[in-house]
Amino acid sequence: MRKQAELLPGTLDLLVLKAASLGDLHGYGILLRIQQISGEALTIEQGALYPALYRLEHQGLLHTEWGLSDNNRRAKYYSLTAAGRKRLREETENWNRLAAAIAGALAARPQEL
Amino acid sequence: MLARVRSLIRNVFRRTRMEEDMAEELRFHLDARIEDLVRQSIHPAEARRRARLEFGSREACMERRRQARGLHFLDEARQDMRYAIRSLRHNPGFALAAVLSLALGIGLNTAIFSLLDAVVLKSLPVEKPGELSLVSEYPEPNAGRFSYPMFERFEQVRPAEDSLMAMSRVASMNAWLTGDRQPQTAAGQLVSGAYFSTLGVSPAIGRLLSGEDNRTIDGRPVAVISYGFWQNRFGGASSVLGREIKLNTAWFTIVGVAPRGFSGVWVDKPVDLWIPLAMQQGVHYSQDFSNNDAFVDRPWLPQDGIRC
């Protein structure tokens, strides 16, 4: 089994927003989508996903609607609202800045100082 | 922020619906997961077990979701309430003390407010309460008491007629109606002729006192009664006009009723009857002795040939 990384605190919301931005999904679909786009490298604790979904909906970042799943069952579908898209953009920038800074810091060598 | 408030309101009012939705969503999730596992050729029973295990405690998940939606305060409030009722029941002495002190506190506040309202906040039910002034003289103890000569001097400089009046304290008097064997106590006040016109009140029925009623000593034994006294003692009948009433030792004719809500200028001492100052001796009213440069044991208005 491949080694899977633990999620950093606060990154679950970002991943959920990203997954939802790629198309309307139900909760389970979001879980699968995150695993898929992270190349199966990230595990999402299933019990933590739904609180995150509800938190984001409560903040007006996600819109929900009941629809039918592939196997014709009633399922709740999540999609990004305009505020959600804006938040995703901001959070992505923040993350990239942070990641670049940390990567740069970790790559430092004595002669460069 | 607005979205949050809206979501909270929706959640509070459609709580049962929300709970059902949550449960259905979780069911869907578990079923989908089981199907996926079965598709990976895992035995259905084992798939169900594993899906449950992966998901963790259902109830914990629901609870965390409720918290995420801002509903937890309702649950907590309900728990606190239940706990409070339980502990109060266990400890009735304490409960009684708590309830009593709350009741006392609230009652006291209400009482104080009623008093404040009557004394400070409500203005007199007269025409222009803001324009009234009480003339007083220092030092105590005779502040507010003036001799008749002093009052006459004031009258000479008053800006207009009906702008100055004098009144006695409110005194407890024995009142008999025709046919009464026993007198009843009534609060009487001796007033100068301009009393009602200065305050700017008009009668409910009949007429109020005027300068004419104070022209001669013991000349006009007439009285005006308050609206409350009229209702209580005469049942509000208009036949009250012209009726005789004996105050202490003198008979008076009732000529009018003051307007509803008006019972004199001191809220703590409501007046039942107003009579002319010139009737002071008739009712043996002696408490309101003169001062300044006048004799304290003489009637206020000069009489019997004595100019005080």
Coordinates of all heavy atoms in Angstrom, one line a residue, chain A residues 26-29 31-32 35 44-61 64 66 69-71 73-78 87, chain B residues 1 3-5 7-8 10-11 17-18 20-22 24-37 51 54-56 61 64-65 68-70:
Chain A
H26 N -21.9 14.7 -5.0 CA -22.5 14.4 -3.7 C -21.3 14.2 -2.7 O -20.2 14.1 -3.1 CB -23.5 13.2 -3.7 CG -23.0 12.1 -4.5 ND1 -22.0 11.3 -4.0 CD2 -23.4 11.5 -5.6 CE1 -21.8 10.3 -4.9 NE2 -22.6 10.4 -5.9
G27 N -21.6 14.0 -1.4 CA -20.6 14.0 -0.4 C -19.6 12.9 -0.7 O -18.3 13.1 -0.7
Y28 N -20.1 11.7 -1.0 CA -19.2 10.6 -1.3 C -18.4 10.8 -2.5 O -17.2 10.5 -2.6 CB -20.0 9.3 -1.4 CG -19.2 8.0 -1.6 CD1 -18.3 7.6 -0.6 CD2 -19.3 7.2 -2.8 CE1 -17.6 6.5 -0.7 CE2 -18.5 6.1 -2.9 CZ -17.7 5.7 -1.9 OH -16.9 4.6 -2.0
G29 N -19.0 11.5 -3.5 CA -18.2 11.8 -4.7 C -17.1 12.8 -4.4 O -16.0 12.7 -5.0
L31 N -15.4 12.9 -1.7 CA -14.4 12.1 -1.1 C -13.5 11.4 -2.1 O -12.3 11.5 -2.1 CB -15.1 11.1 -0.2 CG -14.1 10.3 0.7 CD1 -13.8 11.1 1.9 CD2 -14.9 9.0 1.1
L32 N -14.2 10.8 -3.1 CA -13.5 10.1 -4.1 C -12.7 11.0 -5.0 O -11.6 10.7 -5.4 CB -14.5 9.3 -5.0 CG -15.3 8.2 -4.3 CD1 -16.3 7.5 -5.3 CD2 -14.4 7.2 -3.7
Q35 N -9.5 12.0 -3.4 CA -8.5 11.0 -3.5 C -7.9 10.8 -4.9 O -6.7 10.7 -5.1 CB -9.1 9.6 -3.0 CG -9.2 9.6 -1.5 CD -10.0 8.4 -1.0 OE1 -10.6 7.7 -1.8 NE2 -10.1 8.3 0.3
I44 N -8.9 11.2 3.3 CA -9.8 12.0 4.0 C -10.5 11.2 5.1 O -11.1 10.1 4.7 CB -10.8 12.6 3.1 CG1 -10.2 13.3 1.9 CG2 -11.8 13.6 3.8 CD1 -9.4 14.5 2.2
E45 N -10.5 11.6 6.3 CA -11.3 10.9 7.3 C -12.7 11.1 7.0 O -13.2 12.3 6.9 CB -10.9 11.5 8.7 CG -11.3 10.6 9.8 CD -11.3 11.3 11.1 OE1 -10.4 12.1 11.3 OE2 -12.3 11.2 11.9
Q46 N -13.5 10.0 6.8 CA -14.8 10.2 6.3 C -15.7 10.9 7.2 O -16.6 11.7 6.8 CB -15.4 8.8 6.0 CG -14.6 8.1 4.9 CD -15.3 6.8 4.5 OE1 -16.4 6.6 4.7 NE2 -14.5 6.0 3.8
G47 N -15.5 10.7 8.5 CA -16.3 11.4 9.5 C -16.1 12.9 9.5 O -16.9 13.7 10.0
A48 N -14.9 13.3 9.0 CA -14.6 14.7 9.1 C -15.1 15.5 7.8 O -15.3 16.7 7.8 CB -13.1 14.9 9.1
L49 N -15.4 14.7 6.8 CA -15.8 15.4 5.5 C -17.2 16.1 5.7 O -17.3 17.3 5.3 CB -16.0 14.3 4.5 CG -16.6 14.8 3.1 CD1 -15.6 15.7 2.5 CD2 -17.0 13.7 2.2
Y50 N -18.1 15.4 6.3 CA -19.5 16.1 6.3 C -19.5 17.3 7.2 O -20.1 18.3 6.8 CB -20.5 15.0 6.7 CG -20.8 14.1 5.6 CD1 -20.1 12.9 5.5 CD2 -21.6 14.5 4.6 CE1 -20.3 12.1 4.4 CE2 -21.8 13.7 3.5 CZ -21.2 12.4 3.4 OH -21.3 11.6 2.3
P51 N -18.9 17.3 8.4 CA -18.8 18.6 9.1 C -18.2 19.7 8.3 O -18.7 20.8 8.3 CB -17.9 18.3 10.3 CG -18.1 16.8 10.5 CD -18.3 16.2 9.2
A52 N -17.2 19.4 7.5 CA -16.6 20.4 6.6 C -17.6 20.9 5.6 O -17.7 22.1 5.3 CB -15.4 19.8 6.0
L53 N -18.3 19.9 5.0 CA -19.3 20.3 4.0 C -20.4 21.2 4.6 O -20.7 22.3 4.0 CB -20.0 19.0 3.4 CG -19.2 18.2 2.5 CD1 -19.9 16.9 2.1 CD2 -18.9 19.0 1.2
Y54 N -20.8 20.9 5.8 CA -21.9 21.7 6.4 C -21.3 23.1 6.8 O -22.0 24.1 6.7 CB -22.5 21.0 7.6 CG -23.6 20.0 7.1 CD1 -23.2 18.7 6.7 CD2 -24.9 20.5 6.9 CE1 -24.2 17.9 6.3 CE2 -25.8 19.6 6.4 CZ -25.5 18.3 6.1 OH -26.4 17.5 5.6
R55 N -20.1 23.1 7.2 CA -19.5 24.4 7.6 C -19.4 25.3 6.4 O -19.8 26.5 6.5 CB -18.1 24.1 8.2 CG -17.5 25.3 8.9 CD -16.3 24.8 9.8 NE -15.3 24.1 9.0 CZ -14.9 22.8 9.2 NH1 -15.4 22.2 10.2 NH2 -14.0 22.2 8.4
L56 N -19.0 24.7 5.3 CA -18.9 25.5 4.1 C -20.2 26.0 3.6 O -20.4 27.1 3.1 CB -18.1 24.7 3.0 CG -16.6 24.4 3.4 CD1 -16.0 23.5 2.4 CD2 -15.8 25.7 3.4
E57 N -21.2 25.1 3.7 CA -22.5 25.5 3.3 C -23.1 26.6 4.2 O -23.6 27.6 3.7 CB -23.5 24.3 3.3 CG -24.9 24.6 2.8 CD -25.9 23.6 3.2 OE1 -25.5 22.6 3.8 OE2 -27.1 23.9 3.0
H58 N -22.8 26.5 5.4 CA -23.2 27.5 6.4 C -22.6 28.8 6.2 O -23.2 29.9 6.4 CB -22.9 26.9 7.8 CG -23.4 27.8 8.9 ND1 -24.7 28.1 9.1 CD2 -22.8 28.3 10.0 CE1 -24.9 28.8 10.1 NE2 -23.8 29.0 10.7
Q59 N -21.4 28.8 5.7 CA -20.7 30.0 5.3 C -21.1 30.6 4.0 O -20.6 31.6 3.6 CB -19.2 29.8 5.4 CG -18.6 29.6 6.8 CD -17.2 29.1 6.7 OE1 -16.5 29.3 5.7 NE2 -16.7 28.6 7.8
G60 N -21.9 29.9 3.3 CA -22.4 30.4 2.0 C -21.4 30.1 0.9 O -21.5 30.8 -0.2
L61 N -20.5 29.2 1.1 CA -19.5 28.9 0.0 C -20.0 27.8 -0.9 O -19.5 27.7 -2.0 CB -18.2 28.6 0.6 CG -17.6 29.7 1.6 CD1 -16.3 29.2 2.2 CD2 -17.4 31.0 0.9
T64 N -26.3 23.6 -2.0 CA -26.7 22.2 -2.0 C -28.1 22.0 -2.7 O -28.9 22.9 -2.6 CB -26.8 21.6 -0.6 OG1 -27.9 22.3 0.1 CG2 -25.5 21.7 0.2
W66 N -30.9 18.6 -3.8 CA -31.1 17.2 -3.8 C -31.3 16.8 -5.3 O -32.0 17.4 -6.0 CB -32.3 16.8 -3.0 CG -32.0 16.8 -1.5 CD1 -32.2 17.8 -0.7 CD2 -31.5 15.7 -0.8 NE1 -31.8 17.5 0.6 CE2 -31.4 16.2 0.6 CE3 -31.1 14.4 -1.0 CZ2 -30.9 15.4 1.6 CZ3 -30.6 13.7 0.0 CH2 -30.5 14.1 1.3
S69 N -28.6 10.2 -8.0 CA -27.3 9.7 -8.2 C -27.3 8.8 -9.4 O -28.3 8.5 -10.0 CB -26.8 8.9 -7.0 OG -27.4 7.7 -6.9
D70 N -26.1 8.3 -9.8 CA -26.0 7.4 -11.0 C -26.9 6.2 -10.9 O -27.5 5.7 -11.8 CB -24.5 6.9 -11.1 CG -23.5 8.1 -11.2 OD1 -24.0 9.2 -11.6 OD2 -22.4 7.9 -10.9
N71 N -26.9 5.7 -9.6 CA -27.8 4.5 -9.5 C -29.2 4.8 -9.0 O -29.8 4.1 -8.3 CB -27.1 3.5 -8.5 CG -26.8 4.2 -7.2 OD1 -27.1 5.4 -7.0 ND2 -26.2 3.5 -6.2
R73 N -30.5 7.0 -6.9 CA -30.9 7.2 -5.5 C -30.9 8.7 -5.2 O -30.1 9.4 -5.8 CB -30.0 6.5 -4.6 CG -30.4 5.0 -4.4 CD -29.7 4.4 -3.2 NE -29.8 5.2 -2.0 CZ -29.3 4.8 -0.8 NH1 -28.7 3.6 -0.8 NH2 -29.5 5.5 0.2
R74 N -31.7 9.1 -4.3 CA -31.7 10.5 -3.9 C -30.4 10.8 -3.2 O -30.0 10.1 -2.3 CB -32.8 10.8 -2.9 CG -33.7 11.9 -3.3 CD -35.0 11.9 -2.5 NE -34.8 12.5 -1.2 CZ -34.8 13.8 -0.9 NH1 -35.0 14.6 -1.8 NH2 -34.6 14.2 0.4
A75 N -29.7 11.9 -3.6 CA -28.4 12.3 -3.0 C -28.3 13.8 -3.0 O -28.9 14.5 -3.8 CB -27.3 11.6 -3.8
K76 N -27.6 14.2 -2.1 CA -27.4 15.7 -1.9 C -26.2 16.1 -2.7 O -25.1 15.6 -2.5 CB -27.2 16.0 -0.4 CG -27.6 17.4 -0.1 CD -27.5 17.6 1.4 CE -27.9 19.0 1.9 NZ -27.8 19.0 3.3
Y77 N -26.4 17.1 -3.6 CA -25.3 17.5 -4.5 C -24.8 18.9 -4.0 O -25.5 19.8 -3.7 CB -25.7 17.6 -5.9 CG -25.7 16.2 -6.5 CD1 -26.8 15.4 -6.4 CD2 -24.6 15.8 -7.3 CE1 -26.8 14.1 -6.9 CE2 -24.6 14.5 -7.8 CZ -25.7 13.7 -7.6 OH -25.7 12.4 -8.2
Y78 N -23.4 19.0 -4.1 CA -22.8 20.3 -3.6 C -22.2 21.0 -4.8 O -21.6 20.3 -5.7 CB -21.7 20.0 -2.6 CG -22.2 19.4 -1.3 CD1 -22.4 18.1 -1.2 CD2 -22.5 20.3 -0.3 CE1 -22.9 17.5 0.0 CE2 -23.0 19.8 0.9 CZ -23.2 18.4 1.1 OH -23.7 17.9 2.2
R87 N -13.4 32.4 -2.6 CA -12.6 31.8 -1.5 C -11.6 30.8 -2.0 O -10.4 30.8 -1.6 CB -13.5 31.2 -0.5 CG -12.8 30.5 0.7 CD -12.2 31.4 1.6 NE -13.1 32.3 2.3 CZ -13.8 31.9 3.4 NH1 -13.5 30.7 4.0 NH2 -14.6 32.7 4.0
Chain B
M1 N -21.6 36.8 5.9 CA -22.3 37.0 7.2 C -23.8 36.8 7.1 O -24.5 36.1 7.8 CB -22.0 38.4 7.7 CG -22.6 38.7 9.1 SD -21.8 37.6 10.3 CE -23.1 37.4 11.5
A3 N -25.4 35.2 4.7 CA -25.6 33.8 4.4 C -25.6 32.9 5.6 O -26.4 32.0 5.8 CB -24.5 33.3 3.4
R4 N -24.7 33.3 6.5 CA -24.6 32.5 7.8 C -25.9 32.7 8.6 O -26.4 31.7 9.1 CB -23.4 33.1 8.6 CG -22.4 32.0 8.9 CD -21.3 32.6 9.6 NE -20.2 32.8 8.7 CZ -18.9 32.7 9.0 NH1 -18.6 32.6 10.3 NH2 -18.0 32.9 8.2
V5 N -26.3 33.9 8.7 CA -27.6 34.2 9.5 C -28.7 33.5 8.9 O -29.5 32.8 9.6 CB -27.8 35.7 9.6 CG1 -29.2 36.0 10.2 CG2 -26.7 36.4 10.4
S7 N -28.7 30.9 7.0 CA -28.6 29.4 7.2 C -28.9 29.0 8.6 O -29.6 28.0 8.8 CB -27.1 29.0 6.9 OG -26.8 27.8 7.4
L8 N -28.5 29.9 9.6 CA -28.9 29.6 11.0 C -30.4 29.6 11.2 O -30.9 28.7 11.8 CB -28.2 30.6 11.9 CG -28.2 30.3 13.3 CD1 -27.2 29.1 13.6 CD2 -27.7 31.5 14.1
R10 N -32.7 29.2 9.0 CA -33.3 28.0 8.3 C -33.1 26.8 9.1 O -34.0 26.0 9.3 CB -32.6 27.9 6.9 CG -33.5 27.1 5.9 CD -32.9 27.1 4.6 NE -31.5 26.7 4.6 CZ -30.5 27.3 4.0 NH1 -30.7 28.4 3.4 NH2 -29.2 26.9 4.1
N11 N -31.9 26.7 9.7 CA -31.6 25.5 10.5 C -32.5 25.4 11.7 O -32.9 24.3 12.1 CB -30.2 25.5 10.9 CG -29.3 25.3 9.7 OD1 -29.7 24.9 8.6 ND2 -28.0 25.6 9.8
R17 N -36.4 18.5 9.7 CA -36.2 18.3 8.3 C -34.7 18.1 8.0 O -34.2 17.2 7.4 CB -36.7 19.5 7.5 CG -36.6 19.5 6.1 CD -37.5 18.5 5.4 NE -37.0 18.1 4.1 CZ -37.0 18.9 3.0 NH1 -37.6 20.1 3.1 NH2 -36.5 18.5 1.9
M18 N -33.9 19.0 8.7 CA -32.4 18.9 8.5 C -31.9 17.6 9.0 O -31.0 17.0 8.4 CB -31.8 20.1 9.3 CG -32.1 21.4 8.8 SD -31.0 21.8 7.4 CE -32.1 22.8 6.4
E20 N -33.3 14.8 9.2 CA -33.7 13.7 8.3 C -32.7 13.7 7.1 O -32.3 12.7 6.6 CB -35.1 13.8 7.8 CG -36.1 13.4 8.9 CD -37.5 13.8 8.6 OE1 -37.8 14.3 7.5 OE2 -38.4 13.7 9.5
D21 N -32.5 15.0 6.6 CA -31.6 15.1 5.5 C -30.2 14.6 5.8 O -29.6 13.9 5.0 CB -31.5 16.6 5.1 CG -32.7 17.0 4.2 OD1 -33.6 16.2 4.1 OD2 -32.8 18.2 3.8
M22 N -29.7 15.0 6.9 CA -28.4 14.5 7.4 C -28.3 13.0 7.4 O -27.4 12.4 6.8 CB -28.1 15.0 8.8 CG -27.5 16.4 8.8 SD -26.9 16.6 10.5 CE -27.3 18.2 10.9
E24 N -30.2 10.9 5.9 CA -30.3 10.3 4.5 C -29.0 10.4 3.8 O -28.6 9.5 3.1 CB -31.5 11.0 3.8 CG -31.7 10.4 2.4 CD -32.9 10.9 1.7 OE1 -33.6 11.7 2.3 OE2 -33.1 10.4 0.5
E25 N -28.3 11.5 4.0 CA -27.1 11.7 3.3 C -26.1 10.7 3.7 O -25.3 10.1 2.9 CB -26.6 13.1 3.5 CG -25.5 13.6 2.5 CD -25.1 15.0 2.7 OE1 -25.4 15.5 3.8 OE2 -24.4 15.5 1.8
L26 N -26.0 10.5 5.1 CA -25.1 9.5 5.6 C -25.4 8.1 5.1 O -24.5 7.3 4.8 CB -25.1 9.5 7.1 CG -24.6 10.8 7.8 CD1 -24.3 10.5 9.3 CD2 -23.3 11.2 7.1
R27 N -26.7 7.8 5.1 CA -27.1 6.5 4.5 C -26.6 6.3 3.1 O -26.0 5.3 2.8 CB -28.6 6.3 4.6 CG -29.1 5.4 5.7 CD -30.6 5.0 5.6 NE -31.4 6.0 5.0 CZ -32.1 6.9 5.7 NH1 -31.9 7.0 7.0 NH2 -32.9 7.8 5.2
F28 N -26.8 7.3 2.3 CA -26.4 7.3 0.9 C -24.9 7.0 0.8 O -24.4 6.2 0.1 CB -26.7 8.6 0.2 CG -26.2 8.7 -1.2 CD1 -26.8 8.0 -2.2 CD2 -25.0 9.3 -1.5 CE1 -26.3 8.0 -3.5 CE2 -24.5 9.3 -2.7 CZ -25.1 8.7 -3.8
H29 N -24.1 7.8 1.7 CA -22.7 7.6 1.7 C -22.3 6.2 2.0 O -21.5 5.6 1.3 CB -22.1 8.6 2.7 CG -20.6 8.5 2.8 ND1 -19.8 9.5 2.3 CD2 -19.8 7.6 3.4 CE1 -18.5 9.1 2.5 NE2 -18.5 8.0 3.2
L30 N -22.8 5.6 3.1 CA -22.5 4.3 3.5 C -22.8 3.3 2.3 O -22.0 2.4 2.0 CB -23.2 3.9 4.8 CG -22.5 4.5 6.0 CD1 -23.4 4.1 7.2 CD2 -21.1 4.0 6.2
D31 N -24.0 3.4 1.8 CA -24.4 2.5 0.8 C -23.5 2.6 -0.5 O -23.1 1.5 -1.0 CB -25.9 2.8 0.3 CG -26.8 2.4 1.4 OD1 -26.4 1.8 2.4 OD2 -28.0 2.8 1.3
A32 N -23.1 3.8 -0.8 CA -22.3 4.0 -2.0 C -20.9 3.3 -1.7 O -20.3 2.7 -2.6 CB -22.1 5.5 -2.3
R33 N -20.4 3.5 -0.5 CA -19.1 3.0 -0.1 C -19.2 1.4 -0.2 O -18.3 0.8 -0.7 CB -18.8 3.4 1.3 CG -17.4 2.9 1.8 CD -16.3 3.6 1.0 NE -15.0 3.0 1.4 CZ -14.0 2.8 0.6 NH1 -14.1 3.1 -0.7 NH2 -12.8 2.3 1.0
I34 N -20.3 0.9 0.4 CA -20.4 -0.6 0.4 C -20.5 -1.1 -1.1 O -19.8 -2.1 -1.4 CB -21.7 -1.0 1.1 CG1 -21.6 -0.7 2.6 CG2 -22.0 -2.5 0.9 CD1 -22.9 -0.7 3.4
E35 N -21.2 -0.4 -1.9 CA -21.3 -0.9 -3.3 C -19.9 -0.9 -3.9 O -19.5 -1.8 -4.6 CB -22.2 0.1 -4.1 CG -23.6 -0.3 -4.1 CD -24.5 0.7 -4.8 OE1 -24.0 1.3 -5.8 OE2 -25.6 1.0 -4.3
D36 N -19.1 0.2 -3.7 CA -17.7 0.2 -4.2 C -16.9 -0.9 -3.7 O -16.2 -1.5 -4.5 CB -17.1 1.5 -3.8 CG -17.5 2.7 -4.8 OD1 -18.3 2.4 -5.7 OD2 -17.0 3.8 -4.6
L37 N -17.0 -1.2 -2.5 CA -16.2 -2.3 -1.9 C -16.6 -3.7 -2.5 O -15.8 -4.5 -2.8 CB -16.3 -2.3 -0.4 CG -15.7 -1.2 0.4 CD1 -16.0 -1.2 1.8 CD2 -14.1 -1.3 0.2
A51 N -17.2 -0.4 5.8 CA -17.7 0.9 5.5 C -18.0 1.6 6.8 O -17.7 2.8 7.0 CB -18.9 0.9 4.6
E54 N -14.8 2.6 8.7 CA -14.1 3.7 8.1 C -14.8 5.0 8.5 O -14.1 6.0 8.6 CB -14.1 3.6 6.5 CG -13.1 2.7 6.0 CD -13.3 2.5 4.5 OE1 -14.2 3.1 3.9 OE2 -12.5 1.7 3.9
F55 N -16.1 4.9 8.5 CA -16.8 6.2 8.7 C -16.7 6.7 10.2 O -16.8 7.9 10.4 CB -18.3 6.0 8.4 CG -19.0 7.3 8.1 CD1 -18.9 7.9 6.9 CD2 -19.7 7.9 9.1 CE1 -19.5 9.1 6.6 CE2 -20.3 9.1 8.9 CZ -20.2 9.7 7.6
G56 N -16.6 5.7 11.1 CA -16.5 6.2 12.5 C -17.9 6.2 13.1 O -18.9 5.8 12.4
C61 N -20.6 11.9 14.2 CA -20.6 12.6 12.9 C -21.7 13.6 12.8 O -21.6 14.8 12.5 CB -20.6 11.7 11.8 SG -20.7 12.5 10.2
R64 N -21.1 16.5 15.1 CA -20.1 17.4 14.6 C -20.8 18.3 13.5 O -20.4 19.5 13.3 CB -18.9 16.7 14.1 CG -18.0 16.3 15.3 CD -17.0 15.2 14.8 NE -15.9 15.9 14.0 CZ -15.0 15.1 13.4 NH1 -15.0 13.8 13.5 NH2 -14.0 15.7 12.8
R65 N -21.6 17.7 12.8 CA -22.3 18.4 11.7 C -23.2 19.5 12.2 O -23.3 20.6 11.7 CB -23.0 17.5 10.7 CG -22.1 16.7 9.9 CD -22.7 15.5 9.3 NE -23.8 16.0 8.4 CZ -24.5 15.1 7.7 NH1 -24.3 13.8 7.8 NH2 -25.4 15.6 6.8
A68 N -21.3 22.2 13.2 CA -20.8 23.0 12.1 C -21.9 23.9 11.6 O -21.6 25.0 11.0 CB -20.4 22.0 10.9
R69 N -23.2 23.6 11.8 CA -24.3 24.4 11.3 C -24.7 25.4 12.3 O -25.7 26.1 12.1 CB -25.5 23.6 11.0 CG -25.1 22.2 10.5 CD -26.3 21.6 9.7 NE -26.5 22.5 8.6 CZ -27.4 22.2 7.7 NH1 -28.2 21.1 7.8 NH2 -27.6 23.0 6.7
G70 N -24.1 25.4 13.5 CA -24.4 26.5 14.5 C -25.6 26.1 15.3 O -26.3 26.9 15.9

